[in-house]
mmCIF file of all heavy atoms in Angstrom:
data_model
loop_
_atom_site.group_PDB
_atom_site.id
_atom_site.type_symbol
_atom_site.label_atom_id
_atom_site.label_comp_id
_atom_site.label_asym_id
_atom_site.label_seq_id
_atom_site.Cartn_x
_atom_site.Cartn_y
_atom_site.Cartn_z
ATOM 1 N N TYR Q 111 14.521 224.186 44.401
ATOM 2 C CA TYR Q 111 15.967 224.063 44.510
ATOM 3 C C TYR Q 111 16.663 225.147 43.661
ATOM 4 O O TYR Q 111 16.119 225.647 42.688
ATOM 5 C CB TYR Q 111 16.433 222.683 44.052
ATOM 6 C CG TYR Q 111 15.983 222.335 42.649
ATOM 7 C CD1 TYR Q 111 16.728 222.739 41.539
ATOM 8 C CD2 TYR Q 111 14.782 221.654 42.439
ATOM 9 C CE1 TYR Q 111 16.281 222.442 40.243
ATOM 10 C CE2 TYR Q 111 14.349 221.366 41.156
ATOM 11 C CZ TYR Q 111 15.103 221.760 40.060
ATOM 12 O OH TYR Q 111 14.663 221.478 38.789
ATOM 13 N N LEU Q 188 19.854 217.600 39.085
ATOM 14 C CA LEU Q 188 19.886 218.923 39.668
ATOM 15 C C LEU Q 188 19.783 218.795 41.189
ATOM 16 O O LEU Q 188 19.463 217.724 41.708
ATOM 17 C CB LEU Q 188 18.753 219.754 39.101
ATOM 18 C CG LEU Q 188 18.866 220.006 37.585
ATOM 19 C CD1 LEU Q 188 17.549 220.516 37.036
ATOM 20 C CD2 LEU Q 188 19.981 220.978 37.269
ATOM 21 N N SER Q 204 12.334 216.102 34.761
ATOM 22 C CA SER Q 204 11.137 216.613 34.106
ATOM 23 C C SER Q 204 11.559 217.447 32.906
ATOM 24 O O SER Q 204 12.733 217.782 32.740
ATOM 25 C CB SER Q 204 10.314 217.470 35.081
ATOM 26 O OG SER Q 204 11.052 218.638 35.428
ATOM 27 N N ILE Q 205 10.584 217.801 32.058
ATOM 28 C CA ILE Q 205 10.885 218.680 30.935
ATOM 29 C C ILE Q 205 11.456 220.006 31.425
ATOM 30 O O ILE Q 205 12.442 220.516 30.877
ATOM 31 C CB ILE Q 205 9.629 218.904 30.065
ATOM 32 C CG1 ILE Q 205 9.241 217.618 29.335
ATOM 33 C CG2 ILE Q 205 9.830 220.048 29.072
ATOM 34 C CD1 ILE Q 205 7.931 217.719 28.563
ATOM 35 N N ALA Q 206 10.862 220.554 32.479
ATOM 36 C CA ALA Q 206 11.349 221.832 33.003
ATOM 37 C C ALA Q 206 12.784 221.713 33.483
ATOM 38 O O ALA Q 206 13.612 222.605 33.203
ATOM 39 C CB ALA Q 206 10.439 222.309 34.145
ATOM 40 N N ALA Q 207 13.108 220.636 34.172
ATOM 41 C CA ALA Q 207 14.490 220.453 34.655
ATOM 42 C C ALA Q 207 15.451 220.302 33.496
ATOM 43 O O ALA Q 207 16.557 220.869 33.505
ATOM 44 C CB ALA Q 207 14.538 219.222 35.558
ATOM 45 N N LEU Q 208 15.081 219.559 32.486
ATOM 46 C CA LEU Q 208 15.956 219.375 31.329
ATOM 47 C C LEU Q 208 16.117 220.696 30.581
ATOM 48 O O LEU Q 208 17.197 220.978 30.031
ATOM 49 C CB LEU Q 208 15.402 218.298 30.406
ATOM 50 C CG LEU Q 208 15.470 216.880 30.987
ATOM 51 C CD1 LEU Q 208 14.677 215.907 30.118
ATOM 52 C CD2 LEU Q 208 16.913 216.400 31.124
ATOM 53 N N SER Q 209 15.070 221.514 30.549
ATOM 54 C CA SER Q 209 15.189 222.779 29.844
ATOM 55 C C SER Q 209 16.147 223.716 30.569
ATOM 56 O O SER Q 209 16.912 224.447 29.939
ATOM 57 C CB SER Q 209 13.817 223.433 29.678
ATOM 58 O OG SER Q 209 13.366 224.075 30.849
ATOM 59 N N GLU Q 210 16.144 223.707 31.910
ATOM 60 C CA GLU Q 210 17.059 224.597 32.625
ATOM 61 C C GLU Q 210 18.495 224.121 32.529
ATOM 62 O O GLU Q 210 19.430 224.916 32.744
ATOM 63 C CB GLU Q 210 16.625 224.771 34.084
ATOM 64 C CG GLU Q 210 16.865 223.585 34.961
ATOM 65 C CD GLU Q 210 16.528 223.853 36.429
ATOM 66 O OE1 GLU Q 210 15.339 223.836 36.775
ATOM 67 O OE2 GLU Q 210 17.462 224.084 37.193
ATOM 68 N N GLY Q 211 18.704 222.881 32.198
ATOM 69 C CA GLY Q 211 20.042 222.391 31.923
ATOM 70 C C GLY Q 211 20.468 222.594 30.488
ATOM 71 O O GLY Q 211 21.593 222.305 30.116
ATOM 72 N N LEU Q 242 6.227 217.321 36.014
ATOM 73 C CA LEU Q 242 6.684 218.141 37.142
ATOM 74 C C LEU Q 242 5.713 218.056 38.302
ATOM 75 O O LEU Q 242 6.130 217.870 39.449
ATOM 76 C CB LEU Q 242 6.873 219.579 36.657
ATOM 77 C CG LEU Q 242 7.422 220.589 37.644
ATOM 78 C CD1 LEU Q 242 8.364 221.553 36.946
ATOM 79 C CD2 LEU Q 242 6.316 221.357 38.338
ATOM 80 N N LYS Q 268 8.729 218.843 41.910
ATOM 81 C CA LYS Q 268 10.115 219.311 41.945
ATOM 82 C C LYS Q 268 10.236 220.444 40.945
ATOM 83 O O LYS Q 268 9.857 220.295 39.776
ATOM 84 C CB LYS Q 268 11.104 218.195 41.576
ATOM 85 C CG LYS Q 268 11.246 217.093 42.585
ATOM 86 C CD LYS Q 268 12.401 216.160 42.248
ATOM 87 C CE LYS Q 268 12.224 215.476 40.914
ATOM 88 N NZ LYS Q 268 13.313 214.520 40.607
ATOM 89 N N PHE Q 315 12.965 229.109 29.881
ATOM 90 C CA PHE Q 315 12.851 227.721 30.306
ATOM 91 C C PHE Q 315 11.377 227.343 30.362
ATOM 92 O O PHE Q 315 10.500 228.213 30.379
ATOM 93 C CB PHE Q 315 13.478 227.538 31.698
ATOM 94 C CG PHE Q 315 14.896 228.033 31.797
ATOM 95 C CD1 PHE Q 315 15.204 229.138 32.559
ATOM 96 C CD2 PHE Q 315 15.914 227.397 31.104
ATOM 97 C CE1 PHE Q 315 16.496 229.609 32.650
ATOM 98 C CE2 PHE Q 315 17.219 227.860 31.183
ATOM 99 C CZ PHE Q 315 17.518 228.964 31.949
ATOM 100 N N ALA Q 316 11.121 226.052 30.419
ATOM 101 C CA ALA Q 316 9.755 225.584 30.579
ATOM 102 C C ALA Q 316 9.240 226.002 31.957
ATOM 103 O O ALA Q 316 9.887 225.730 32.978
ATOM 104 C CB ALA Q 316 9.684 224.069 30.426
ATOM 105 N N HIS Q 317 8.103 226.673 31.997
ATOM 106 C CA HIS Q 317 7.495 227.036 33.281
ATOM 107 C C HIS Q 317 6.872 225.787 33.906
ATOM 108 O O HIS Q 317 6.740 224.742 33.255
ATOM 109 C CB HIS Q 317 6.457 228.127 33.054
ATOM 110 C CG HIS Q 317 5.931 228.732 34.327
ATOM 111 N ND1 HIS Q 317 6.731 229.017 35.399
ATOM 112 C CD2 HIS Q 317 4.665 229.085 34.709
ATOM 113 C CE1 HIS Q 317 6.010 229.521 36.380
ATOM 114 N NE2 HIS Q 317 4.751 229.571 35.981
ATOM 115 N N VAL Q 318 6.451 225.901 35.142
ATOM 116 C CA VAL Q 318 5.871 224.750 35.835
ATOM 117 C C VAL Q 318 4.598 224.259 35.148
ATOM 118 O O VAL Q 318 4.241 223.091 35.257
ATOM 119 C CB VAL Q 318 5.590 225.069 37.323
ATOM 120 C CG1 VAL Q 318 6.888 225.320 38.069
ATOM 121 C CG2 VAL Q 318 4.643 226.242 37.482
ATOM 122 N N TYR Q 320 4.170 224.223 31.876
ATOM 123 C CA TYR Q 320 4.477 223.890 30.476
ATOM 124 C C TYR Q 320 3.975 222.487 30.143
ATOM 125 O O TYR Q 320 4.199 221.533 30.894
ATOM 126 C CB TYR Q 320 5.974 223.947 30.236
ATOM 127 C CG TYR Q 320 6.381 223.584 28.833
ATOM 128 C CD1 TYR Q 320 6.580 224.558 27.861
ATOM 129 C CD2 TYR Q 320 6.589 222.256 28.460
ATOM 130 C CE1 TYR Q 320 6.970 224.233 26.566
ATOM 131 C CE2 TYR Q 320 6.963 221.914 27.174
ATOM 132 C CZ TYR Q 320 7.146 222.910 26.230
ATOM 133 O OH TYR Q 320 7.522 222.565 24.942
#
Side-chain angles (χ1 to χ4, degrees):
Y111 55 86
L188 297 165
S204 66
I205 290 175
L208 291 170
S209 79
E210 72 175 79
L242 183 143
K268 290 189 299 182
F315 307 111
H317 189 41
V318 295
Y320 179 95

